[in-house]
Amino acid sequence: MTEPFRLALTLANEAETRRLAMDLAMAAQANDIMTLEGDLGTGKSTLARALIRAIAEDDKLDVPSPTFALVQPYDLKRLPVVHADLYRVASADEIAELGWDEVSDNALLLVEWPDRLGGALSGDRLEITLSLAPGNGPNARRAELIGHGAWAARLARMAALRTFLDNAGWGGSLRRHLQGDASTRSYERLLDGQRRAVLMNAPRRPDGPPVRNGLPYSRIAHLAEDMVPFVAMAEGLRDAGLSPPEIEAIDLEQGFLIIEDLGSDGVLKDGAPVAERYLAAVDVLAAIHARPRPATLSTPKGPYALPAYDREALGIEVELLLDWYLPMKDVRIPASEKYVFLQRWTDLFKEVEAAPKTWVLRDFHSPNLIWLAGRDGAEKVGLIDFQDAVMGPAAYDVASLAQDARVTVSEELELQILSRYASARKAADPSFDMAAFARLYAIMGAQRATKILGIFARLDRRDGKPQYLAHLPRIWAYLQRCLAHPALHQVKRWVDDRVPSP
């Protein structure tokens, strides 16, 4: 059983109460339970009100006390909240009549006077006890927080993050939740007067179960386990004259970074690609690929060697189709047919491994590209989310951009992107072979689409994120484009015979 984690804080004034509320808002997740205990007048409702407003990102939000209604739900955009005040509840038998089971699913449950439940709330939860602290000022309070179960590690991380922000000079900043990616990383925008920055909260990736030769999937696929690769690639990209975010503060052991806020102007407009910006993005790739790039980069912890995008990594990624997408479609494939599928890919991966190597950022698509209108040339495209970079074929990132997983890129725009890329590469190197590149582009585009069909099915089935299923028809269409290339005729036959469309 996980030992509880305890944290004691002094809330000397209203600003400190708001800061604690902000900390809790950023740490809160769906189906969380937080309890507020303390005598009358110790500030339970004040903290609850500040927490709800922090989650809503609205300091003016009306947050009435639920003393008489007992249960007050808030349908907030980021995270629904159910605020309960059980002061008037005489016995635990009355709880069933409150109706919070109907409104608290996938919400944060915030409970004042939890002792009225007679111990009914147990397991993973955060207990907050408030008391007066007159020795620290007339309005000072003492807050004692105890994290139970999964909340123990989260509270410990919240405490470490408070220290990191203080040391970096951002302790009193306003924090705003930013939409993250499909990983365990989270992001926040930090605001302090005219200063802006982005906080990256990236705990070390835990090893999953072994899947081959005693290694977890993340090791075989060469996914970053900490933030060292991000720091290494940020410096490498900046040295190449590109626009990754500047790094202001680092705690590599904890996985905290404060980085430059590149803004939120992306490469889409009304959910559709802006051709000018996609063409500028492929110019970035052409600039990276125009000259040899080092496989070893420097970091504060010493040299970092980019892993090779080898056949083991490529192969275990296409297996995601077999492991997740086909079961989602109720398709069962015998072991002999799985062997045939993987063997056909292995033959193609030999070509990939023989191709010239360069930096492969691996997620070079719309969510990770920021439009910087005030900069010139290739610096107009801000780059984020490149910690999984590897050494591999140039075609992979071009396919990632021209067959964007999150937004439909028309065949017309795809051809414009490829033409622009070919022209830039040819200008830098007259011997550039576009036909050979097109073959690799089809192979890597098909590999990526095959992988993503599996990943998005896994996000739904394993991680409870069904929103990714909406992208499957688009990914399937991209796969069909790539399979049309003669290099993939054997893979195409296997897919046509055995893999149903979304």
Side-chain angles (χ1 to χ4, degrees):
M1 179 178 293
T2 303
E3 286 293 317
F5 183 85
R6 299 171 184 271
L7 175 65
L9 299 171
T10 298
L11 311 179
N13 50 46
E14 186 178 345
E16 287 295 325
T17 299
R18 286 199 303 269
R19 180 178 182 187
L20 174 57
M22 192 75 65
D23 289 342
L24 297 173
M26 294 300 105
Q29 300 176 7
N31 298 311
D32 271 351
I33 298 174
M34 295 185 192
T35 63
L36 287 165
E37 302 178 67
D39 294 336
L40 288 169
T42 53
K44 296 185 298 298
S45 295
T46 299
L47 179 58
R49 186 175 295 111
L51 170 56
I52 294 168
R53 287 174 174 168
I55 294 173
E57 298 185 358
D58 181 358
D59 291 339
K60 305 297 184 183
L61 181 69
D62 184 28
V63 183
S65 172
T67 300
F68 295 100
L70 298 184
V71 174
Q72 179 68 48
Y74 296 87
D75 188 17
L76 305 179
K77 181 178 179 180
R78 183 196 145 212
L79 176 68
V81 178
V82 176
H83 183 196
D85 185 331
L86 308 184
Y87 181 68
R88 294 193 303 114
V89 173
S91 71
D93 295 337
E94 297 179 38
I95 301 302
E97 302 174 11
L98 294 179
W100 69 21
D101 288 340
E102 289 76 18
V103 294
S104 63
D105 185 45
N106 213 37
L108 163 65
L109 181 58
L110 186 60
V111 184
E112 297 185 48
W113 301 98
D115 57 298
R116 304 297 199 264
L117 290 169
L121 291 179
S122 60
D124 298 345
R125 68 195 187 283
L126 176 64
E127 292 180 0
I128 305 169
T129 302
L130 297 173
S131 58
L132 298 176
N136 296 100
N139 298 313
R141 303 289 187 271
R142 179 177 174 81
E144 295 185 11
L145 292 78
I146 305 177
H148 296 271
W151 252 107
R154 285 164 63 189
L155 182 58
R157 190 160 185 82
M158 189 185 95
L161 180 54
R162 284 175 69 93
T163 300
F164 172 73
L165 291 172
D166 284 339
N167 292 339
W170 288 91
S173 62
L174 183 66
R175 297 163 62 185
R176 292 291 185 243
H177 181 265
L178 290 175
Q179 183 64 41
D181 51 24
S183 73
T184 57
R185 294 181 295 272
S186 63
Y187 300 86
E188 300 172 25
R189 176 163 281 128
L190 305 178
L191 304 169
D192 183 11
Q194 297 300 310
R195 293 197 305 156
R196 297 162 65 94
V198 169
L199 168 68
M200 184 185 297
N201 186 340
R204 184 177 179 84
R205 180 195 298 272
D207 280 344
V211 296
R212 182 171 301 151
N213 299 326
L215 296 175
Y217 173 88
S218 59
R219 293 275 188 92
I220 301 170
H222 304 312
L223 302 180
E225 297 184 346
D226 55 33
M227 294 315 297
V228 171
F230 180 92
V231 174
M233 278 307 304
E235 293 303 317
L237 291 166
R238 188 172 300 106
D239 289 345
L242 302 175
S243 294
E246 295 276 356
I247 298 175
E248 179 179 330
I250 309 175
D251 184 336
L252 287 177
E253 295 302 321
Q254 293 282 354
F256 299 134
L257 278 81
I258 295 177
I259 61 177
E260 177 187 5
D261 185 356
L262 296 177
S264 54
D265 190 10
V267 296
L268 307 178
K269 183 176 181 180
D270 299 326
V274 178
E276 172 198 3
R277 300 181 182 187
Y278 271 68
L279 295 175
V282 85
D283 287 346
V284 170
L285 293 178
I288 293 174
H289 304 158
R291 52 173 287 191
R293 298 296 173 184
T296 300
L297 301 168
S298 60
T299 78
K301 295 187 72 172
Y304 171 73
L306 288 167
Y309 210 0
D310 52 30
R311 71 185 70 181
E312 287 77 18
L314 294 164
I316 202 164
E317 288 181 338
V318 296
E319 283 189 58
L320 293 171
L321 178 90
L322 309 179
D323 296 339
W324 294 97
Y325 179 78
L326 291 182
M328 184 186 75
K329 303 297 290 183
D330 294 322
V331 174
R332 300 290 180 267
I333 299 294
S336 59
E337 283 303 312
K338 291 182 180 180
Y339 174 81
V340 172
F341 175 78
L342 295 174
Q343 188 57 51
R344 290 179 177 178
W345 277 111
T346 298
D347 294 340
L348 295 171
F349 295 156
K350 292 177 183 177
E351 289 187 42
V352 173
E353 286 191 316
K357 304 294 187 294
T358 187
W359 292 342
V360 177
L361 305 190
R362 222 169 179 183
D363 283 303
F364 195 88
H365 56 175
S366 55
N368 300 329
L369 303 174
I370 310 297
W371 186 247
L372 305 172
R375 302 189 187 183
D376 297 320
E379 293 184 3
K380 276 185 174 292
V381 181
L383 307 175
I384 60 174
D385 198 3
F386 39 72
Q387 59 279 337
D388 292 328
V390 290
M391 294 298 293
Y396 186 90
D397 279 347
V398 180
S400 179
L401 174 71
Q403 297 187 352
D404 195 317
R406 308 301 179 92
V407 62
T408 299
V409 178
S410 68
E411 291 188 69
E412 179 184 4
L413 179 55
E414 181 183 14
L415 289 173
Q416 290 178 34
I417 291 169
L418 291 174
S419 177
R420 175 85 159 230
Y421 179 81
S423 296
R425 292 295 308 274
K426 202 80 173 176
D429 177 9
S431 67
F432 175 70
D433 186 343
M434 186 57 194
F437 178 84
R439 180 181 176 92
L440 276 174
Y441 174 87
I443 293 171
M444 299 315 302
Q447 190 270 352
R448 179 173 171 80
T450 301
K451 167 179 68 173
I452 294 175
L453 287 173
I455 288 174
F456 285 0
R458 183 178 68 186
L459 285 167
D460 170 51
R461 289 202 150 193
R462 187 192 71 183
D463 302 334
K465 298 178 178 179
Q467 64 269 28
Y468 287 92
L469 297 181
H471 300 300
L472 293 185
R474 176 186 307 112
I475 307 304
W476 180 260
Y478 291 148
L479 177 60
Q480 299 309 305
R481 287 187 202 174
C482 294
L483 292 180
H485 194 284
L488 288 137
H489 70 280
Q490 288 191 321
V491 173
K492 175 176 169 55
R493 287 178 55 191
W494 197 97
V495 170
D496 287 347
D497 290 345
R498 296 166 183 82
V499 183
S501 64

